[in-house]
Every structure is written in structure tokens, then in C-alpha cells.
Amino acid sequence: MYPLNWKAEGQPCLIIGAGHVALRKVRGLLEAGARVTVAAPEAEEAILALAREGRIRYWREAFREGVERGFVFVVSTAGAEDVARYLSRAAEEERFLYNAADFPALGNCALPAHFSRGSLTVAISTEGKSPAFSRYIKSWLEESIPEEFGPWLDRLAALREEAKGKIQTSAERERFWRTAFSRRVTALAAAGHFEEAEEYIRHAMGGFGPES
């Protein structure tokens, strides 16, 4: 497996099945800005509500070969192995991403459990071997990583631009950032003391400037 963040905004995605697993996938894709279609003969009320609100398309129909065409990402959740095997072959031939939530070994990609702190995204994957364990690790890390890291990341983006103007080479900037993230800085940021953390980094930045 090769970990990759995918820009799903505006991308056409298809979910086969419309139960509670499908609902989780739908919500995640909607959060990422994807255009979502769900195909199933019956659907959970929450999925029907999303369709009524115009947030997704719902095709009330059983699976048929060819329904996947035109989509860049397909997820199967219906628990039908013949459908999963067909989509596995189709994904190879038609070159789309396929997540087999019902038969993980047949997909060409796995969806990690994840959570966000602003622009910081933490993802955990077991390569489909145990989604429940992924969710456990996710909950564990969510309790450990403070909310303050979201706004701190925004401040780091500004500091990164500042460092580009003061530290001339990319090698020196890389070395600087390796030393800048000390336990002291991280503790200050976690406590919401952003100004103090910024001051510490700016002080360290001075040692990497042209005069150093």
C-alpha cells in the first residue's frame, strides 16, 4: 500500500449499497466535497434524506454491470461477492479507484480511519485487515492530539514563508525545521501559547540566517 491524500472535491463517486457502512462513506466523501451517487434497491432513511436535500443522487436499483462507468471512485458495501469481483476486474480495466468495504482484498485501495485538527489530518490504516482496530487507534489518537494543533498549523504556514526569506537553501531550511520542533515548542502550542511558541521559533530562525 502507498499512502496518498486525494483531492476529492468535485469528483464523481459511486457507492454500491445504502446501509450504515455506505452512510459512513457518503458522509466522508461529502465532507471532502465529492459528488456522490448511491445505487441500491433500498436505502437507510439518512441516505434518502440526503437525496431529498439534493446533496447526493440516489439510484433506486439493483446493481447492474456498467453502472460504474464515468466514476473515478467506487465503493461497494452491499456484501455481494459477485458484485465485488466484477468491480475488481472493472477497476483494473477501466482505471478507477475501487474500495471494497465488504470484501477488502478485492479493492485496489483502502480507506483509512482519520480525523482532522483544522488542516492537520491524521489517518490510520490496517490495509483492510481490521477496520475496527483502525477506529480504535483513531479514537486513542484523537484524545491525545489537542485541538490547538489546528490553529497552530495555520501559524506555522506563515512562519514557513518567513523562513524562506531568512534561510537561503532548502537543505538549511530542512535542518532548521528538524531542530525547531522541540518538546518545548510543541508543549507551548498544545497549551495554546502560540505567541511564545512563535517567538521561540523566530529566535531559532535567527541562527540560520545569512549572517550565521
Side-chain angles (χ1 to χ4, degrees), residues 80-111:
E81 188 171 358
D82 58 335
V83 171
R85 290 194 178 280
Y86 166 80
L87 288 171
S88 184
R89 294 191 300 271
E92 185 175 348
E93 295 169 2
E94 301 170 27
R95 303 296 183 188
F96 58 82
L97 292 171
Y98 171 46
N99 172 241
D102 39 11
F103 298 95
L106 295 176
N108 61 19
C109 65
L111 301 183

mmCIF file of all heavy atoms in Angstrom, residues 80-111:
data_model
loop_
_atom_site.group_PDB
_atom_site.id
_atom_site.type_symbol
_atom_site.label_atom_id
_atom_site.label_comp_id
_atom_site.label_asym_id
_atom_site.label_seq_id
_atom_site.Cartn_x
_atom_site.Cartn_y
_atom_site.Cartn_z
ATOM 1 N N ALA A 80 -22.208 -8.368 -1.592
ATOM 2 C CA ALA A 80 -22.388 -9.326 -2.687
ATOM 3 C C ALA A 80 -21.025 -9.599 -3.328
ATOM 4 O O ALA A 80 -20.471 -8.727 -3.994
ATOM 5 C CB ALA A 80 -23.373 -8.788 -3.710
ATOM 6 N N GLU A 81 -20.509 -10.816 -3.156
ATOM 7 C CA GLU A 81 -19.162 -11.099 -3.635
ATOM 8 C C GLU A 81 -19.066 -11.055 -5.152
ATOM 9 O O GLU A 81 -18.046 -10.635 -5.708
ATOM 10 C CB GLU A 81 -18.687 -12.462 -3.126
ATOM 11 C CG GLU A 81 -17.224 -12.729 -3.437
ATOM 12 C CD GLU A 81 -16.691 -13.976 -2.764
ATOM 13 O OE1 GLU A 81 -17.453 -14.622 -2.007
ATOM 14 O OE2 GLU A 81 -15.507 -14.304 -2.991
ATOM 15 N N ASP A 82 -20.120 -11.466 -5.854
ATOM 16 C CA ASP A 82 -20.072 -11.422 -7.310
ATOM 17 C C ASP A 82 -19.955 -9.981 -7.812
ATOM 18 O O ASP A 82 -19.238 -9.698 -8.782
ATOM 19 C CB ASP A 82 -21.291 -12.109 -7.925
ATOM 20 C CG ASP A 82 -22.613 -11.499 -7.462
ATOM 21 O OD1 ASP A 82 -22.654 -10.906 -6.354
ATOM 22 O OD2 ASP A 82 -23.610 -11.594 -8.199
ATOM 23 N N VAL A 83 -20.623 -9.066 -7.124
ATOM 24 C CA VAL A 83 -20.515 -7.645 -7.479
ATOM 25 C C VAL A 83 -19.100 -7.137 -7.217
ATOM 26 O O VAL A 83 -18.502 -6.453 -8.054
ATOM 27 C CB VAL A 83 -21.541 -6.814 -6.677
ATOM 28 C CG1 VAL A 83 -21.279 -5.313 -6.868
ATOM 29 C CG2 VAL A 83 -22.955 -7.166 -7.111
ATOM 30 N N ALA A 84 -18.550 -7.493 -6.072
ATOM 31 C CA ALA A 84 -17.202 -7.054 -5.722
ATOM 32 C C ALA A 84 -16.174 -7.598 -6.716
ATOM 33 O O ALA A 84 -15.233 -6.898 -7.095
ATOM 34 C CB ALA A 84 -16.861 -7.485 -4.297
ATOM 35 N N ARG A 85 -16.332 -8.839 -7.122
ATOM 36 C CA ARG A 85 -15.382 -9.420 -8.080
ATOM 37 C C ARG A 85 -15.499 -8.741 -9.441
ATOM 38 O O ARG A 85 -14.493 -8.490 -10.112
ATOM 39 C CB ARG A 85 -15.605 -10.927 -8.208
ATOM 40 C CG ARG A 85 -15.187 -11.689 -6.961
ATOM 41 C CD ARG A 85 -15.091 -13.187 -7.176
ATOM 42 N NE ARG A 85 -14.634 -13.849 -5.959
ATOM 43 C CZ ARG A 85 -13.366 -13.907 -5.580
ATOM 44 N NH1 ARG A 85 -12.413 -13.370 -6.337
ATOM 45 N NH2 ARG A 85 -13.026 -14.525 -4.459
ATOM 46 N N TYR A 86 -16.726 -8.432 -9.841
ATOM 47 C CA TYR A 86 -16.894 -7.706 -11.107
ATOM 48 C C TYR A 86 -16.226 -6.337 -11.038
ATOM 49 O O TYR A 86 -15.485 -5.947 -11.956
ATOM 50 C CB TYR A 86 -18.387 -7.536 -11.431
ATOM 51 C CG TYR A 86 -18.606 -6.521 -12.531
ATOM 52 C CD1 TYR A 86 -18.421 -6.855 -13.866
ATOM 53 C CD2 TYR A 86 -18.946 -5.199 -12.222
ATOM 54 C CE1 TYR A 86 -18.576 -5.913 -14.875
ATOM 55 C CE2 TYR A 86 -19.104 -4.257 -13.216
ATOM 56 C CZ TYR A 86 -18.919 -4.617 -14.544
ATOM 57 O OH TYR A 86 -19.064 -3.669 -15.538
ATOM 58 N N LEU A 87 -16.451 -5.607 -9.947
ATOM 59 C CA LEU A 87 -15.877 -4.271 -9.817
ATOM 60 C C LEU A 87 -14.351 -4.331 -9.725
ATOM 61 O O LEU A 87 -13.663 -3.434 -10.208
ATOM 62 C CB LEU A 87 -16.449 -3.572 -8.588
ATOM 63 C CG LEU A 87 -17.910 -3.125 -8.717
ATOM 64 C CD1 LEU A 87 -18.457 -2.654 -7.376
ATOM 65 C CD2 LEU A 87 -18.047 -2.030 -9.768
ATOM 66 N N SER A 88 -13.823 -5.384 -9.127
ATOM 67 C CA SER A 88 -12.371 -5.546 -9.056
ATOM 68 C C SER A 88 -11.774 -5.665 -10.457
ATOM 69 O O SER A 88 -10.757 -5.033 -10.769
ATOM 70 C CB SER A 88 -12.033 -6.788 -8.226
ATOM 71 O OG SER A 88 -10.633 -6.924 -8.072
ATOM 72 N N ARG A 89 -12.413 -6.460 -11.306
ATOM 73 C CA ARG A 89 -11.942 -6.587 -12.698
ATOM 74 C C ARG A 89 -12.138 -5.280 -13.461
ATOM 75 O O ARG A 89 -11.262 -4.833 -14.208
ATOM 76 C CB ARG A 89 -12.692 -7.724 -13.402
ATOM 77 C CG ARG A 89 -12.404 -9.106 -12.845
ATOM 78 C CD ARG A 89 -12.966 -10.190 -13.754
ATOM 79 N NE ARG A 89 -14.411 -10.076 -13.916
ATOM 80 C CZ ARG A 89 -15.304 -10.667 -13.116
ATOM 81 N NH1 ARG A 89 -14.891 -11.399 -12.078
ATOM 82 N NH2 ARG A 89 -16.607 -10.533 -13.335
ATOM 83 N N ALA A 90 -13.304 -4.656 -13.255
ATOM 84 C CA ALA A 90 -13.604 -3.408 -13.963
ATOM 85 C C ALA A 90 -12.635 -2.306 -13.569
ATOM 86 O O ALA A 90 -12.215 -1.505 -14.415
ATOM 87 C CB ALA A 90 -15.042 -2.973 -13.678
ATOM 88 N N ALA A 91 -12.262 -2.256 -12.290
ATOM 89 C CA ALA A 91 -11.325 -1.221 -11.829
ATOM 90 C C ALA A 91 -9.981 -1.346 -12.532
ATOM 91 O O ALA A 91 -9.349 -0.343 -12.879
ATOM 92 C CB ALA A 91 -11.142 -1.314 -10.310
ATOM 93 N N GLU A 92 -9.543 -2.576 -12.764
ATOM 94 C CA GLU A 92 -8.275 -2.791 -13.453
ATOM 95 C C GLU A 92 -8.362 -2.397 -14.916
ATOM 96 O O GLU A 92 -7.453 -1.788 -15.465
ATOM 97 C CB GLU A 92 -7.874 -4.268 -13.326
ATOM 98 C CG GLU A 92 -6.508 -4.582 -13.907
ATOM 99 C CD GLU A 92 -6.077 -6.002 -13.659
ATOM 100 O OE1 GLU A 92 -6.724 -6.699 -12.851
ATOM 101 O OE2 GLU A 92 -5.092 -6.429 -14.282
ATOM 102 N N GLU A 93 -9.487 -2.717 -15.532
ATOM 103 C CA GLU A 93 -9.656 -2.424 -16.965
ATOM 104 C C GLU A 93 -9.973 -0.954 -17.224
ATOM 105 O O GLU A 93 -9.478 -0.360 -18.183
ATOM 106 C CB GLU A 93 -10.769 -3.307 -17.548
ATOM 107 C CG GLU A 93 -10.437 -4.795 -17.526
ATOM 108 C CD GLU A 93 -11.646 -5.660 -17.845
ATOM 109 O OE1 GLU A 93 -12.728 -5.079 -18.127
ATOM 110 O OE2 GLU A 93 -11.528 -6.907 -17.804
ATOM 111 N N GLU A 94 -10.814 -0.367 -16.389
ATOM 112 C CA GLU A 94 -11.293 0.997 -16.620
ATOM 113 C C GLU A 94 -10.511 2.048 -15.849
ATOM 114 O O GLU A 94 -10.738 3.246 -16.010
ATOM 115 C CB GLU A 94 -12.785 1.082 -16.255
ATOM 116 C CG GLU A 94 -13.659 0.120 -17.068
ATOM 117 C CD GLU A 94 -15.079 0.033 -16.527
ATOM 118 O OE1 GLU A 94 -15.542 1.012 -15.904
ATOM 119 O OE2 GLU A 94 -15.720 -1.018 -16.708
ATOM 120 N N ARG A 95 -9.598 1.610 -14.976
ATOM 121 C CA ARG A 95 -8.689 2.508 -14.264
ATOM 122 C C ARG A 95 -9.409 3.486 -13.343
ATOM 123 O O ARG A 95 -9.249 4.698 -13.437
ATOM 124 C CB ARG A 95 -7.797 3.282 -15.245
ATOM 125 C CG ARG A 95 -6.980 2.416 -16.170
ATOM 126 C CD ARG A 95 -5.984 1.592 -15.394
ATOM 127 N NE ARG A 95 -5.137 0.788 -16.281
ATOM 128 C CZ ARG A 95 -4.288 -0.131 -15.875
ATOM 129 N NH1 ARG A 95 -4.172 -0.383 -14.584
ATOM 130 N NH2 ARG A 95 -3.563 -0.816 -16.729
ATOM 131 N N PHE A 96 -10.223 2.949 -12.434
ATOM 132 C CA PHE A 96 -10.794 3.802 -11.392
ATOM 133 C C PHE A 96 -10.391 3.241 -10.026
ATOM 134 O O PHE A 96 -10.004 2.072 -9.902
ATOM 135 C CB PHE A 96 -12.317 3.925 -11.504
ATOM 136 C CG PHE A 96 -13.079 2.625 -11.434
ATOM 137 C CD1 PHE A 96 -13.386 2.033 -10.218
ATOM 138 C CD2 PHE A 96 -13.508 1.998 -12.601
ATOM 139 C CE1 PHE A 96 -14.096 0.849 -10.143
ATOM 140 C CE2 PHE A 96 -14.219 0.804 -12.545
ATOM 141 C CZ PHE A 96 -14.516 0.228 -11.322
ATOM 142 N N LEU A 97 -10.473 4.080 -9.008
ATOM 143 C CA LEU A 97 -10.196 3.646 -7.643
ATOM 144 C C LEU A 97 -11.381 2.847 -7.124
ATOM 145 O O LEU A 97 -12.535 3.268 -7.258
ATOM 146 C CB LEU A 97 -9.945 4.849 -6.736
ATOM 147 C CG LEU A 97 -8.669 5.659 -6.998
ATOM 148 C CD1 LEU A 97 -8.677 6.929 -6.159
ATOM 149 C CD2 LEU A 97 -7.431 4.827 -6.691
ATOM 150 N N TYR A 98 -11.078 1.692 -6.527
ATOM 151 C CA TYR A 98 -12.151 0.839 -6.020
ATOM 152 C C TYR A 98 -11.852 0.409 -4.601
ATOM 153 O O TYR A 98 -10.841 -0.239 -4.327
ATOM 154 C CB TYR A 98 -12.327 -0.393 -6.917
ATOM 155 C CG TYR A 98 -13.274 -1.428 -6.352
ATOM 156 C CD1 TYR A 98 -14.509 -1.060 -5.818
ATOM 157 C CD2 TYR A 98 -12.937 -2.781 -6.345
ATOM 158 C CE1 TYR A 98 -15.370 -1.996 -5.287
ATOM 159 C CE2 TYR A 98 -13.797 -3.734 -5.828
ATOM 160 C CZ TYR A 98 -15.009 -3.333 -5.291
ATOM 161 O OH TYR A 98 -15.869 -4.264 -4.767
ATOM 162 N N ASN A 99 -12.747 0.781 -3.685
ATOM 163 C CA ASN A 99 -12.658 0.362 -2.292
ATOM 164 C C ASN A 99 -13.754 -0.668 -2.026
ATOM 165 O O ASN A 99 -14.937 -0.338 -2.097
ATOM 166 C CB ASN A 99 -12.813 1.553 -1.351
ATOM 167 C CG ASN A 99 -12.908 1.132 0.101
ATOM 168 O OD1 ASN A 99 -13.905 1.385 0.759
ATOM 169 N ND2 ASN A 99 -11.884 0.481 0.613
ATOM 170 N N ALA A 100 -13.341 -1.896 -1.767
ATOM 171 C CA ALA A 100 -14.302 -2.957 -1.461
ATOM 172 C C ALA A 100 -14.461 -3.033 0.050
ATOM 173 O O ALA A 100 -13.746 -3.767 0.727
ATOM 174 C CB ALA A 100 -13.821 -4.283 -2.035
ATOM 175 N N ALA A 101 -15.393 -2.268 0.570
ATOM 176 C CA ALA A 101 -15.596 -2.252 2.023
ATOM 177 C C ALA A 101 -16.126 -3.590 2.507
ATOM 178 O O ALA A 101 -15.907 -3.958 3.668
ATOM 179 C CB ALA A 101 -16.574 -1.135 2.394
ATOM 180 N N ASP A 102 -16.815 -4.331 1.645
ATOM 181 C CA ASP A 102 -17.396 -5.614 2.024
ATOM 182 C C ASP A 102 -16.442 -6.787 1.806
ATOM 183 O O ASP A 102 -16.509 -7.793 2.503
ATOM 184 C CB ASP A 102 -18.714 -5.854 1.274
ATOM 185 C CG ASP A 102 -18.675 -5.385 -0.179
ATOM 186 O OD1 ASP A 102 -17.573 -5.062 -0.678
ATOM 187 O OD2 ASP A 102 -19.737 -5.350 -0.822
ATOM 188 N N PHE A 103 -15.525 -6.673 0.841
ATOM 189 C CA PHE A 103 -14.537 -7.715 0.570
ATOM 190 C C PHE A 103 -13.194 -7.027 0.310
ATOM 191 O O PHE A 103 -12.762 -6.888 -0.842
ATOM 192 C CB PHE A 103 -14.956 -8.571 -0.635
ATOM 193 C CG PHE A 103 -16.255 -9.297 -0.432
ATOM 194 C CD1 PHE A 103 -17.457 -8.744 -0.881
ATOM 195 C CD2 PHE A 103 -16.283 -10.514 0.226
ATOM 196 C CE1 PHE A 103 -18.660 -9.406 -0.673
ATOM 197 C CE2 PHE A 103 -17.483 -11.190 0.434
ATOM 198 C CZ PHE A 103 -18.676 -10.637 -0.011
ATOM 199 N N PRO A 104 -12.520 -6.551 1.369
ATOM 200 C CA PRO A 104 -11.354 -5.670 1.237
ATOM 201 C C PRO A 104 -10.263 -6.158 0.294
ATOM 202 O O PRO A 104 -9.640 -5.349 -0.395
ATOM 203 C CB PRO A 104 -10.832 -5.572 2.676
ATOM 204 C CG PRO A 104 -12.033 -5.806 3.526
ATOM 205 C CD PRO A 104 -12.854 -6.811 2.780
ATOM 206 N N ALA A 105 -10.036 -7.451 0.228
ATOM 207 C CA ALA A 105 -8.946 -7.967 -0.605
ATOM 208 C C ALA A 105 -9.189 -7.722 -2.094
ATOM 209 O O ALA A 105 -8.245 -7.740 -2.901
ATOM 210 C CB ALA A 105 -8.756 -9.463 -0.358
ATOM 211 N N LEU A 106 -10.422 -7.466 -2.486
ATOM 212 C CA LEU A 106 -10.742 -7.274 -3.904
ATOM 213 C C LEU A 106 -10.577 -5.827 -4.361
ATOM 214 O O LEU A 106 -10.592 -5.557 -5.560
ATOM 215 C CB LEU A 106 -12.178 -7.744 -4.183
ATOM 216 C CG LEU A 106 -12.424 -9.247 -3.990
ATOM 217 C CD1 LEU A 106 -13.896 -9.578 -4.205
ATOM 218 C CD2 LEU A 106 -11.555 -10.061 -4.944
ATOM 219 N N GLY A 107 -10.434 -4.896 -3.448
ATOM 220 C CA GLY A 107 -10.275 -3.490 -3.827
ATOM 221 C C GLY A 107 -8.840 -3.166 -4.193
ATOM 222 O O GLY A 107 -7.911 -3.914 -3.874
ATOM 223 N N ASN A 108 -8.654 -2.037 -4.877
ATOM 224 C CA ASN A 108 -7.294 -1.581 -5.176
ATOM 225 C C ASN A 108 -6.861 -0.433 -4.277
ATOM 226 O O ASN A 108 -5.793 0.143 -4.465
ATOM 227 C CB ASN A 108 -7.143 -1.198 -6.660
ATOM 228 C CG ASN A 108 -8.058 -0.061 -7.083
ATOM 229 O OD1 ASN A 108 -8.562 0.693 -6.260
ATOM 230 N ND2 ASN A 108 -8.291 0.066 -8.385
ATOM 231 N N CYS A 109 -7.696 -0.089 -3.285
ATOM 232 C CA CYS A 109 -7.319 0.922 -2.302
ATOM 233 C C CYS A 109 -8.117 0.692 -1.026
ATOM 234 O O CYS A 109 -9.177 0.070 -1.047
ATOM 235 C CB CYS A 109 -7.544 2.343 -2.833
ATOM 236 S SG CYS A 109 -9.267 2.758 -3.147
ATOM 237 N N ALA A 110 -7.572 1.154 0.084
ATOM 238 C CA ALA A 110 -8.253 1.053 1.380
ATOM 239 C C ALA A 110 -8.441 2.449 1.937
ATOM 240 O O ALA A 110 -7.620 3.343 1.710
ATOM 241 C CB ALA A 110 -7.427 0.203 2.350
ATOM 242 N N LEU A 111 -9.536 2.652 2.645
ATOM 243 C CA LEU A 111 -9.828 3.959 3.234
ATOM 244 C C LEU A 111 -9.405 3.963 4.704
ATOM 245 O O LEU A 111 -9.936 3.196 5.501
ATOM 246 C CB LEU A 111 -11.317 4.286 3.128
ATOM 247 C CG LEU A 111 -11.892 4.326 1.716
ATOM 248 C CD1 LEU A 111 -13.355 4.730 1.766
ATOM 249 C CD2 LEU A 111 -11.110 5.285 0.842
#
